[in-house]
Amino acid sequence: AQRVTQPEKLLSVFKGAPVELKCNYSYSGSPELFWYVQYSRQRLQLLLRHISRESIKGFTADLNKGETSFHLKKPFAQEEDSAMYYCALMANRDDKIIFGKGTRLHILP
Amino acid sequence: DAEITQSPRHKITETGRQVTLACHQTWNHNNMFWYRQDLGHGLRLIHYSYGVHDTNKGEVSDGYSVSRSNTEDLPLTLESAASSQTSVYFCASSESKETQYFGPGTRLLVL
């Protein structure tokens, strides 16, 4: 069964400290992984996808197939990073996206 | 600019009433999706469509229906609203194998 697990509901980090949002997935094939972000009272928007290998707003994520993980990292947190972050998986046989339950990131001043 | 819109943005209704939430996209995407967002559950897929006249049930489809008569619209109907359907509803669209673009959401309160 396809599953995305985000073990932390809430993560509080001081401004300037490193950030790591954890994501593990369960899928037997070759999935495509995404991170979506939702700022307060705004719509969800794509932050990054693993095939793009981009760094968006200082965030990066590396797909580790051995550990079935796709953790989101940023070396120095900024206050504007406070938001809800969702890890998501797209199976290679259809276009549905399975979302994790989300992690709320709170950047402390 | 192409976009995806939802209406209404806020809705209050009573238990037992039929409610329809609209979703309209101008990207000409074949794929459209409806999700509900609840604390502790994240985003859960309600229904989705891969093209005109195609509809499929998602993870939490009971009590909801959709129809796809054209490419641009995928209205979501709550046949008989229940308090458990109080939620924020998001519509999304995508092209095949591409990322989904989300609408602004509809906050529904069922009293």
Side-chain angles (χ1 to χ4, degrees):
Chain A
Q2 302 163 29
R3 188 180 301 120
V4 176
T5 302
Q6 294 181 251
E8 303 135 331
K9 289 185 179 179
L10 173 67
L11 183 65
S12 296
V13 174
F14 283 103
K15 178 181 172 182
V19 175
E20 183 177 42
L21 299 171
K22 290 184 167 47
C23 172
N24 288 90
Y25 66 91
S26 173
Y27 180 62
S28 57
S30 295
E32 188 160 348
L33 276 297
F34 305 82
W35 276 99
Y36 281 83
V37 61
Q38 185 180 27
Y39 300 103
S40 180
R41 296 198 168 271
Q42 293 186 26
R43 69 183 73 192
L44 275 87
Q45 56 187 284
L46 179 69
L47 182 62
L48 52 82
R49 63 193 291 188
H50 88 271
I51 62 170
S52 301
R53 296 183 169 275
E54 292 175 307
S55 172
I56 306 294
K57 299 185 179 182
F59 285 98
T60 58
D62 291 318
L63 179 60
N64 185 323
K65 291 186 178 180
E67 296 183 358
T68 59
S69 68
F70 189 57
H71 303 327
L72 184 68
K73 299 178 183 179
K74 184 170 182 176
F76 307 104
Q78 298 172 285
E79 287 190 57
E80 54 264 34
D81 295 330
S82 292
M84 193 75 174
Y85 291 80
Y86 291 96
C87 183
L89 174 156
M90 180 189 289
N92 58 12
R93 64 175 179 274
D94 61 34
D95 292 337
K96 288 189 300 182
I97 291 183
I98 307 298
F99 286 86
K101 293 186 177 181
T103 297
R104 180 165 298 283
L105 178 64
H106 184 206
I107 306 302
L108 303 166
Chain B
D1 283 344
E3 62 176 350
I4 181 167
T5 58
Q6 293 182 235
S7 63
R9 296 294 312 278
H10 303 271
K11 176 78 176 177
I12 301 174
T13 191
E14 295 176 340
T15 302
R17 287 190 181 266
Q18 184 180 79
V19 176
T20 296
L21 309 182
C23 175
H24 180 79
Q25 54 98 2
T26 57
W27 280 300
N28 205 36
H29 286 163
N30 284 323
N31 301 336
M32 294 185 74
F33 307 85
W34 274 104
Y35 297 89
R36 58 179 290 175
Q37 183 182 43
D38 303 286
L39 273 176
H41 292 280
L43 283 157
R44 292 181 291 175
L45 183 63
I46 305 172
H47 282 287
Y48 59 101
S49 167
Y50 289 148
V52 176
H53 302 311
D54 175 74
T55 61
N56 305 280
K57 293 182 179 180
E59 178 188 0
V60 290
S61 60
D62 287 349
Y64 303 93
S65 64
V66 293
S67 61
R68 188 91 179 269
S69 59
N70 58 52
T71 302
E72 296 81 13
D73 299 290
L74 186 70
L76 177 72
T77 297
L78 287 67
E79 303 294 345
S80 177
S83 57
S84 60
Q85 295 177 306
T86 291
S87 186
V88 181
Y89 291 85
F90 286 97
C91 178
S93 72
S94 74
E95 266 308 336
S96 180
K97 300 304 174 200
E98 292 300 317
T99 188
Q100 293 183 12
Y101 294 89
F102 283 80
T106 295
R107 290 183 176 271
L108 177 67
L109 175 60
V110 183
L111 298 174

